[in-house]
Amino acid sequence: MGLGGCIILIAVGAILTFATDWDMQGVNLDLVGVILMIVGLIGVTTFSSIARRRRVVVPPPTTVIEGDRRREPPF
């Protein structure tokens, strides 16, 4: 799930929790909304930690061979 999916989960959870007054028998929509918001926040933190880890660039190691020096003529 990408960052957009996590934000959508948070938005849908907030709408279910704060903006609706539907009553369904056997389903607590406020609790479902809170659960969706928590899952969305966990996804955002996971996504941001993975994205931060991907940005680290390590240069390749350089190998120096002592006997392979060539002299070029000075121009």
Side-chain angles (χ1 to χ4, degrees), residues 46-57:
T46 304
F47 181 81
S48 64
S49 69
I50 290 172
R52 188 180 322 130
R53 200 174 310 149
R54 283 186 192 164
R55 290 185 200 146
V56 176
V57 177

Side-chain angles (χ1 to χ4, degrees), residues 3-25:
L3 185 61
C6 296
I7 293 173
I8 288 173
L9 280 178
I10 294 170
V12 169
I15 289 170
L16 285 176
T17 302
F18 304 116
T20 59
D21 59 352
W22 298 332
D23 290 325
M24 295 178 71
Q25 186 176 2

Side-chain angles (χ1 to χ4, degrees), residues 63-74:
T63 306
V64 177
I65 302 172
E66 289 292 327
D68 194 28
R69 294 187 184 175
R70 296 188 180 117
R71 293 187 179 212
E72 297 195 18

